[in-house]
Amino acid sequence: MKNYQKPLEYMNNNHASDTLPKYPRIGVVLSSGGGRGVYAHTGFLMALETLKLPVTALAGCSAGALVGGIVASGTPLPDWFATLGKVQRKEFWKPGSLPGLLWRMLYDKGRGITGISDTQWAIEFCRKNLTAKTFEDCQFPFYALAINLDSGEKTIFSEGEIAPRIMASAAIPIVYQPVKINGEYFCDGAVVDFAPTDAICCLHNLDVVIVHHVSQRFDQKKSIDHALTEPWTLLKITDRLLYRNRPWYLSDEGASSQRISSQRCPCGCGAIIIVIEPELPELTWPMTRGGIHVLREAQQQTTELLTPFQAALQTDSRGMFPKVFKACDDNNK
């Protein structure tokens, strides 16, 4: 039996005694985004806290699942921010020995090789930073998207231990080995969906869903030759395969300068879907240097983009929001 606590309780305790208006039900969806996404989503949630916009339900994919799970578990954002400020890559990513990998590739024809790094270190990193350990004990409903490698089906986790499931959602192919859960193998949810809006939109009678989309863009102007000159060429090629199609909730590719947009939920429930796609600096895997800069950029842009609509979000988001709006379009500057 799930016994979720009040949505406001995940916010900084300093706000607990503030006199707040009665909020509409706000859902949050955090997209995939690799290492950059971990920092960007943290900055985004810090902005929501500053704007006093509490979360009713949250769903995440890959980096979004990792950050979402830690925050939904009740870990205070200042504590998570402090962790990110000092994290070392060896805490979440430990590749096997290169000679051993080459030997298995040549002698055993790569048999049994499923990824460069085991996921046990990353799972332990997640466990250390979680307050609640299971989905059932989260502060509010939380969902994590992964793909089941046995069946090939999209899987949305909503019960059981959080740590292995958010790591399964974030297990980037090639970079990490798949995660085995209850006898089946799972990996990065971005293979099937960048952001699981369907996990929460109509399920929790939400008034508004805010999607923070920080997945890579497929840049048609850059040829594959460009990827061959960059670090982690294999990941660049994988990105081109994963991100060749933009998800339904994003604006047209031509509107690349539009950082915020909205529409009604396509299922007809009447909820507003607000999409924020910030312009962020690159952060190459598995680098952590420069991560705090990404976090601050995401925090600043979210605050800038949502402040004009703060009153609507706090009172009557369905009635006060226009059906479709454009804000902070660089072409209008």
Side-chain angles (χ1 to χ4, degrees):
M1 181 72 178
K2 296 186 178 183
N3 183 25
Y4 298 113
Q5 300 181 35
K6 295 180 180 179
L8 284 176
E9 290 180 4
Y10 101 92
M11 296 294 193
N12 191 319
N13 290 334
N14 293 334
H15 299 319
S17 61
D18 290 359
T19 301
L20 298 174
K22 183 178 180 180
Y23 288 98
R25 296 176 64 81
I26 300 174
V28 164
V29 177
L30 305 178
S31 77
S32 60
R36 184 178 75 162
V38 172
Y39 291 96
H41 289 320
T42 301
F44 166 77
L45 292 175
M46 291 171 68
L48 293 190
E49 179 179 277
T50 300
L51 293 170
K52 297 184 178 180
L53 299 176
V55 177
T56 298
L58 190 152
C61 174
S62 196
L66 191 149
V67 175
I70 287 171
V71 173
S73 79
T75 300
L77 278 169
D79 292 355
W80 175 235
F81 172 80
T83 296
L84 290 181
K86 60 186 179 183
V87 66
Q88 302 292 318
R89 76 179 71 173
K90 65 182 180 181
E91 296 181 61
F92 58 84
W93 191 65
K94 290 189 178 182
S97 69
L98 181 58
L101 180 63
L102 291 175
W103 174 257
R104 292 180 64 187
M105 288 291 292
L106 296 174
Y107 179 76
D108 213 20
K109 300 180 181 179
R111 188 175 288 107
I113 297 176
T114 57
I116 296 174
S117 174
D118 192 339
T119 55
Q120 67 177 19
W121 307 104
I123 292 174
E124 285 306 315
F125 174 77
C126 292
R127 285 194 179 112
K128 288 192 302 182
N129 287 285
L130 289 165
T131 298
K133 304 304 180 184
T134 67
F135 284 81
E136 291 83 354
D137 292 328
C138 284
Q139 299 286 295
F140 46 77
F142 167 63
Y143 304 84
L145 169 68
I147 182 170
N148 185 319
L149 292 177
D150 289 88
S151 66
E153 296 178 348
K154 173 179 175 178
T155 299
I156 296 179
F157 294 117
S158 61
E159 58 186 19
E161 187 184 0
I162 299 172
R165 287 164 175 81
I166 60 177
M167 187 54 224
S169 178
I172 304 170
I174 301 174
V175 174
Y176 280 112
Q177 298 171 9
V179 178
K180 189 175 184 179
I181 300 173
N182 296 332
E184 296 182 303
Y185 289 90
F186 299 86
C187 77
D188 199 332
V191 173
V192 287
D193 196 351
F194 299 136
T197 53
D198 55 331
I200 61 171
C201 184
C202 307
L203 184 61
H204 294 284
N205 192 30
L206 300 173
D207 297 298
V208 60
V209 175
I210 306 176
V211 181
H212 192 234
H213 184 91
V214 296
S215 298
Q216 300 290 335
R217 281 177 174 269
F218 177 69
D219 193 344
Q220 294 178 332
K221 297 178 181 178
K222 292 183 179 180
S223 70
I224 192 65
D225 289 332
H226 179 78
L228 297 177
T229 65
E230 295 186 322
W232 291 95
T233 299
L234 278 176
L235 289 184
K236 295 295 182 182
I237 294 173
T238 302
D239 286 348
R240 292 180 70 88
L241 295 172
L242 288 176
Y243 304 126
R244 65 188 184 279
N245 296 320
R246 286 168 65 79
W248 65 269
Y249 53 79
L250 286 181
S251 59
D252 294 336
E253 185 64 38
S256 60
S257 60
Q258 184 175 317
R259 292 181 291 154
I260 184 168
S261 61
S262 80
Q263 57 187 294
R264 297 284 177 176
C265 175
C267 76
C269 69
I272 298 288
I273 308 291
I274 301 174
V275 182
I276 294 177
E277 188 179 16
E279 297 175 355
L280 301 171
E282 293 292 330
L283 191 65
T284 304
W285 177 268
M287 298 297 293
T288 56
R289 182 181 302 172
I292 297 301
H293 176 58
V294 171
L295 183 153
R296 292 301 188 194
E297 279 290 322
Q299 182 182 17
Q300 178 181 341
Q301 291 184 45
T302 300
T303 302
E304 172 191 344
L305 294 168
L306 289 182
T307 293
F309 310 103
Q310 184 179 9
L313 287 167
Q314 291 177 339
T315 53
D316 181 17
S317 56
R318 289 192 185 218
M320 295 180 67
F321 262 98
K323 188 170 184 180
V324 176
F325 67 83
K326 295 182 180 180
C328 295
D329 189 327
D330 292 343
N331 293 330
N332 295 329
K333 288 182 179 180

